[in-house]
Amino acid sequence: MARNQALFDAILGGKRKDAARITQECVDANINVQELLNESMIPAMREMGDRFSRNEVFVPEMLIAARAMKAGLEIIEPLLVQSGMEPRARVAIGTVKGDLHDIGKNLVAMMLRGAGYDVLDLGVDIEADKFAEAADQGVKIIMLSALLTTTMQYMKEVVDHLEGRNDIKIIIGGAPVTADYAKEIGAHAYGRDANDAVKIVDALVGVA
Ligand code: B1M
């Protein structure tokens, strides 16, 4: 599927109502929402990041683009999460302390729900003891997201905090994170994107 330029432009331009309207039109036309996400919506956020790096836009523009992205995501969410199966396992996800980026984390949560997982979304700016509390509530997989090179360092603190909990698996992800970094800090796995994260969770709970 080619890029939907109008949707790309609406998200990049922070036009929330247009983004919602165009997304709804695509859903009504039975356009594959996964492709819409990968070809038009996520690339718009990537372009926003590139422009920010070149000092062509600033934080307010990133913020309004994020709002437009979220308006589109709200429309496709029911299609991504409709699964109707018994929960396969309970997983917790959160963006680590100091980090407010939540679009990628929300996407991972949506895809996991769509794959039949019971997802406890802890939110953003989450400290290690909150993840530990989730582990005490029957969660078997803890998922950490970070978008900043500064905040990804905190993932190690969470891993260290959960040391000795052999019943818990920790998956990390987010743009600056790598598989090597996961190994280095002792996390069990690294998820490249939301689809990859689902595959990894499937493998860890023995569904794959
Ligand atoms: Co910020 N920001 N931001 N930002 N922001 C980035 C991340 C940045 C790369 C932009 C840039 O410079 N090019 C840069 C980080 C540089 C770095 O550390 N290397 C940056 C910066 C610097 C900042 C501030 C410091 C700016 C400032 O204040 N001077 C500030 C920090 C605030 C904070 O968190 N404390 C800041 C603020 C913001 C906004 C609040 C304005 C807004 C966020 C709004 C929100 O999330 N509600 C924002 C935005 C929108 C971005 C960009 C443009 C877009 C992020 C996004 O939503 N991408 C971003 C540039 C970029 O990403 N290229 C940027 C779309 C999303 C679908 O992708 O989140 O990567 P992503 O998720 C992917 C994968 O990474 C993966 O799956 C998803 C796709 O399927 N994934 C996982 C994510 N988590 C996972 C977990 C998993 C598995 C996979 O398992 C556990």
Side-chain angles (χ1 to χ4, degrees):
M1 183 182 132
R3 170 185 290 174
N4 181 318
Q5 192 63 41
L7 181 55
F8 177 92
D9 291 342
I11 292 175
L12 190 58
K15 301 207 169 3
R16 193 168 49 86
K17 285 186 185 156
D18 287 350
R21 177 183 50 76
I22 298 163
T23 308
Q24 187 63 56
E25 284 167 7
C26 292
V27 167
D28 294 344
N30 283 326
I31 284 170
N32 182 314
V33 291
Q34 187 73 56
E35 287 182 11
L36 200 63
L37 192 58
N38 293 334
E39 308 294 332
S40 308
M41 301 172 79
I42 293 177
M45 297 308 289
R46 206 174 294 134
E47 174 62 22
M48 175 51 66
D50 292 346
R51 291 185 185 185
F52 181 77
S53 297
R54 297 194 298 263
N55 289 325
E56 291 169 11
V57 297
F58 300 95
V59 172
E61 285 93 339
M62 282 208 287
L63 202 52
I64 57 168
R67 286 193 192 136
M69 173 79 171
K70 283 186 175 186
L73 283 178
E74 272 170 25
I75 289 165
I76 64 171
E77 180 169 13
L79 297 169
L80 290 177
V81 303
Q82 61 185 212
S83 85
M85 33 173 135
E86 278 293 298
R88 286 170 161 167
R90 192 150 202 247
V91 307
I93 188 165
T95 304
V96 297
K97 186 178 169 188
D99 200 321
L100 303 175
H101 296 86
D102 67 353
I103 293 175
K105 183 259 305 162
N106 293 346
L107 260 177
V108 175
M110 276 179 211
M111 301 295 271
L112 284 167
R113 289 195 181 105
Y117 291 96
D118 177 10
V119 181
L120 175 62
D121 187 345
L122 300 171
V124 295
D125 193 17
I126 302 302
E127 300 210 17
D129 55 0
K130 287 278 174 225
F131 289 106
E133 275 170 30
D136 293 335
Q137 291 166 19
V139 163
K140 294 288 166 226
I141 296 179
I142 301 228
M143 309 192 61
L144 312 178
S145 180
L147 264 282
L148 302 171
T149 43
T150 46
T151 57
M152 66 185 264
Q153 318 294 332
Y154 190 75
M155 291 174 155
K156 177 162 171 29
E157 287 197 34
V158 181
V159 172
D160 290 348
H161 197 77
L162 289 165
E163 205 183 336
R165 294 289 309 249
N166 298 328
D167 53 328
I168 302 293
K169 302 280 184 225
I170 302 174
I171 306 175
I172 65 171
V177 179
T178 61
D180 283 346
Y181 183 65
K183 249 187 229 151
E184 183 190 320
I185 65 169
H188 296 93
Y190 156 71
R192 195 180 57 252
D193 56 31
N195 287 320
D196 195 38
V198 172
K199 283 188 201 144
I200 289 163
V201 174
D202 280 351
L204 287 176
V205 301
V207 175

